[in-house]
Amino acid sequence: MTTTTHCRPSSHQVGLGYSDGDRLGALATFGAQGFIFFALIFVFNVTGFEVFPGLTPMALFVGSLGVVVLAPRRVLMRLPVSIVLVLLIVWILASRMWTDSPAGTSFATLRLMPIVGGVAIVSGLISLVDLVKALLWSIRFSVVLTLAIVAIFPETRLHIDPTGLAPPLDGWHGWFPHKNIMTPFLVFGAVTVLTFDRNRLVRWTTLAAITVLIIGSDSVTGISSLMLAVSVWVWIQLYQNLDLRNSSVFVISSGAIGIFGLLGLAASLTTLTSASGRDVTFTGRTFIWQATFDALTERPFLGYGLGGILFDNPITPKTAEVWRAIGFRAPHAHSGALDLALQLGVIGLAIFLVLFALTMLDALRIVRDRPTIAAWIISTMVVQLYMSLSENVFMGSGWLPLLVMFRVLLMRRSGMELATGADLADRLRRSRVPAGAGAGAGAGAGAGVGVGVGAGV
């Protein structure tokens, strides 16, 4: 449920855009875009280091608060608030009370939660077109940087175990800590570029570079995730045009997605790091799943706290016990759901799944009205589910901030139109309303838009 408190509309509102007092000013927009640019690089660890170790997340959060200070009152009044998101944040912060590793939880909380809070704020204030610009520039910068690093430094073309307990693992990763962190980011980048980049030369050059990096990573999960993301994206483009629903292209693309669903588990299970030097069932994942599940059964409802287990600074008795059972130092449970439950318990997992399901359902509801945004969000979330079969992409890296961004955007009531007007053109074409009439209707609708604070699940 969503409730909105309406105020008298501004007399300056025009069309489907903002009025003069209903959008961020130039300085606030620049600050919001800067936050998105650097936050994406930070949470996915693109550079592998921080300029100000330990201070970067808080500095970025302070920057998001600066956007709030500069934002017009009308913009602040319609900042959406998700009850489920707030509940998840509260539960994560509360896990400090029962964590098995206070140091690990403090580190994980200070690294993640300022970014989550900042993304929730900025995504609710900035216009979609300005948000997309920041995302695209951040992705382009990361791709160019990673290509350059891979070309210059041979050691970034293989993974060297910092503990020295395992042989080097083939696969490009640049300055990313691991190829299994790089490839999910690049898949999200590919979907974003495919959806929003209007410059054909830059678009296809970036997509080609992303493809080269993913192939060079030698990650079956990364390659198959990219193919799945593109398949889902194309399928949505076809689905929103009812005339093509029975076409051979639509049927073929639907079949391809079904095949990916059936083969997803087998494909993703082939990419486990060979840190243990084993070649047994599922390349060692069964040891990780069994040991972490056994640990979860001891604290099923609350878990061990965010970052409270499988953290090596310091190594807790429970972490040491789990690693002994596995046979090597696994950094996470190699399962999105199991890893999240291990940290936040089944209660935290349930809250997260509600947030995820609500976001997916809202994205599905706008497939016909706003196919561009829907294709972007759904493609990313489907791939996230796919990768979660073997990687910690629910709470790991930057995936929680991305989910927060999607949730906030789907709750917004204004500022969601792209500069190209592609979504509006799609709606006009399907409704067979003359362009002039559509523009008039849009202007009328724009004049009646209220300003308020939205709160919902």
Side-chain angles (χ1 to χ4, degrees), residues 292-314:
T292 52
F293 181 80
D294 289 343
L296 175 62
T297 58
E298 298 180 20
R299 292 191 183 184
F301 297 106
L302 300 181
Y304 291 84
L306 182 69
I309 192 170
L310 304 183
F311 184 76
D312 62 359
N313 188 22

Side-chain angles (χ1 to χ4, degrees), residues 254-270:
S254 299
I257 293 173
I259 293 173
F260 273 113
L262 294 174
L263 299 181
L265 180 60
S268 60
L269 288 174
T270 62

Side-chain angles (χ1 to χ4, degrees), residues 246-260:
N246 295 322
S247 70
S248 58
V249 177
F250 182 81
V251 173
I252 292 173
S253 62
S254 299
I257 293 173
I259 293 173
F260 273 113

Side-chain angles (χ1 to χ4, degrees), residues 48-74:
F49 63 88
E50 297 179 36
V51 178
F52 304 105
L55 299 178
T56 303
M58 191 56 64
L60 288 171
F61 181 70
V62 171
S64 71
L65 295 181
V67 177
V68 173
V69 172
L70 295 172
R73 182 173 177 272
R74 287 193 180 94

